[in-house]
Amino acid sequence: MNSDQKALEQEALESLASMSAVPKLEGPIGRVIGWVDTCFLSLAVVALVAIAATVLLQICSRLFLPFSIAWTEELSRYLFIYMVALSAGVVLRQNRNISVELFHHLLGPRMQAAFQVLICALIGLFAFLVLPYAWQYAQNGAWQTSPTLRVPMLYIFFSTVVTFALLLVYSLLGCVEGIIAMCRSSASHQES
């Protein structure tokens, strides 16, 4: 692949993710956040690989064994739930969540940062409001067990707490990054 193709691919990726123009935190704090992002994404990838292995085991048991393994479907479902829960915050921070981008490319850097603050504030508010109810929901699983794995459902229902807690933390981080970007943008406009 030559440099022209790489440049075109990079330009295409940037045009698809116009909201990624808001700079991320740098320095020691940015490195720590990057490490935490990597940890959550690594756990999500482990869950994805475990899903693939579980489904493969299920297929092999149905094809080659005289009986099928009953717990594989349930385990793959729980792994999928945790894969989504562990990656939700990082997806929000990287602006890779589903969004309608009708006008993002028309916004300047300062307005993109303001839009990021607005979106992250709304998501954070929603997560803050839902988090206590997610905890109540998780506690409902304390006296239930899963049908085939016999795992306490508290651990499965706790994925809602993980999801909304990570969304709250990452939305606050997105607000901070957007506010810093707005301040830097307005400072650079005042200097010009």
Side-chain angles (χ1 to χ4, degrees), residues 48-62 72-73 75-77 79:
L48 179 62
V49 170
I51 291 170
T54 304
V55 170
L56 187 62
L57 177 64
Q58 182 180 33
I59 292 169
C60 289
S61 72
R62 287 184 179 180
T72 54
E73 183 179 342
L75 179 61
S76 64
R77 188 178 320 125
L79 287 168

Side-chain angles (χ1 to χ4, degrees), residues 122-180:
L122 290 173
I123 291 171
L125 177 65
F126 178 74
F128 178 75
L129 293 174
V130 172
L131 195 55
Y133 298 105
W135 177 247
Q136 287 177 355
Y137 174 69
Q139 289 176 332
N140 286 337
W143 53 83
Q144 299 175 14
T145 58
S146 65
T148 57
L149 290 173
R150 298 290 178 213
V151 175
M153 291 303 288
L154 171 69
Y155 300 125
I156 309 306
F157 292 170
F158 191 73
S159 64
T160 58
V161 176
V162 171
T163 302
F164 290 112
L166 288 175
L167 283 175
L168 179 60
V169 169
Y170 277 98
S171 65
L172 291 173
L173 182 60
C175 284
V176 168
E177 289 173 341
I179 290 169
I180 290 172

Side-chain angles (χ1 to χ4, degrees), residues 110 181-192:
R110 188 170 183 203
M182 286 186 338
C183 292
R184 285 183 184 163
S185 179
S186 64
S188 67
H189 280 131
Q190 289 175 357
E191 289 175 6
S192 324

Side-chain angles (χ1 to χ4, degrees), residues 2-191:
N2 62 25
S3 61
D4 292 335
Q5 284 180 319
K6 288 182 181 180
L8 286 173
E9 286 178 10
Q10 184 65 27
E11 184 180 327
L13 286 174
E14 288 172 2
S15 70
L16 288 174
S18 62
M19 293 307 294
S20 64
V22 177
K24 305 297 178 206
L25 288 176
E26 296 175 352
I29 294 173
R31 283 192 295 275
V32 168
I33 294 168
W35 182 79
V36 170
D37 290 353
T38 302
C39 287
F40 282 122
L41 288 177
S42 297
L43 289 171
V45 167
V46 166
L48 179 62
V49 170
I51 291 170
T54 304
V55 170
L56 187 62
L57 177 64
Q58 182 180 33
I59 292 169
C60 289
S61 72
R62 287 184 179 180
L63 290 176
F64 303 117
L65 298 176
F67 59 91
S68 63
I69 301 172
W71 52 265
T72 54
E73 183 179 342
E74 189 174 298
L75 179 61
S76 64
R77 188 178 320 125
Y78 299 153
L79 287 168
F80 178 76
I81 289 168
Y82 266 97
M83 180 187 69
V84 171
L86 292 168
S87 61
V90 180
V91 167
L92 175 64
R93 181 162 192 262
Q94 294 179 353
N95 295 305
R96 299 290 186 228
N97 47 345
I98 296 173
S99 65
V100 178
E101 295 188 5
L102 297 176
F103 59 88
H104 295 109
H105 64 283
L106 300 174
L107 301 176
R110 188 170 183 203
M111 287 306 294
Q112 285 181 351
F115 188 73
Q116 177 175 317
V117 170
L118 174 68
I119 295 300
C120 287
L122 290 173
I123 291 171
L125 177 65
F126 178 74
F128 178 75
L129 293 174
V130 172
L131 195 55
Y133 298 105
W135 177 247
Q136 287 177 355
Y137 174 69
Q139 289 176 332
N140 286 337
W143 53 83
Q144 299 175 14
T145 58
S146 65
T148 57
L149 290 173
R150 298 290 178 213
V151 175
M153 291 303 288
L154 171 69
Y155 300 125
I156 309 306
F157 292 170
F158 191 73
S159 64
T160 58
V161 176
V162 171
T163 302
F164 290 112
L166 288 175
L167 283 175
L168 179 60
V169 169
Y170 277 98
S171 65
L172 291 173
L173 182 60
C175 284
V176 168
E177 289 173 341
I179 290 169
I180 290 172
M182 286 186 338
C183 292
R184 285 183 184 163
S185 179
S186 64
S188 67
H189 280 131
Q190 289 175 357
E191 289 175 6

